[in-house]
Amino acid sequence: DAAGSGRARAKAVAAAALTLDLLDRLHHGFIDGTISPDDLEALARAASGRAEGVSSDARLADLHEEIALRARVELAKLGR
């Protein structure tokens, strides 16, 4: 129904906004040399969750998986 579709879209938009915010914070952290492990963990969780939720778009799911993988690599470099 339309209400359910609207809620799903709003949830997807909110999740995308969170991911973009985390990416922006990490971008600034890389520039400043102050990477937040908590932000990396949050990004890995958010991107992994989004990859599972976009099964209808394989390219988008792959992009989310790449973001999650990169976040986990950076966490490993920090010993987490």
Side-chain angles (χ1 to χ4, degrees):
D1 80 336
S5 178
R7 282 191 297 270
R9 178 168 165 61
K11 187 176 179 180
V13 168
L18 171 65
T19 301
L20 289 173
D21 182 51
L22 289 166
L23 285 169
D24 189 49
R25 290 184 353 208
L26 288 170
H27 172 80
H28 290 288
F30 281 119
I31 291 171
D32 298 339
T34 57
I35 301 167
S36 167
D38 292 337
D39 284 347
L40 283 169
E41 288 174 358
L43 180 61
R45 282 191 309 273
S48 290
R50 290 301 302 145
E52 294 168 8
V54 293
S55 58
S56 62
D57 188 335
R59 292 182 310 182
L60 188 55
D62 288 346
L63 176 62
H64 285 289
E65 279 301 323
E66 287 179 32
I67 291 169
L69 175 62
R70 181 60 191 200
R72 289 190 296 271
V73 166
E74 293 302 322
L75 281 167
K77 288 179 183 178
L78 296 172
R80 288 182 82 169

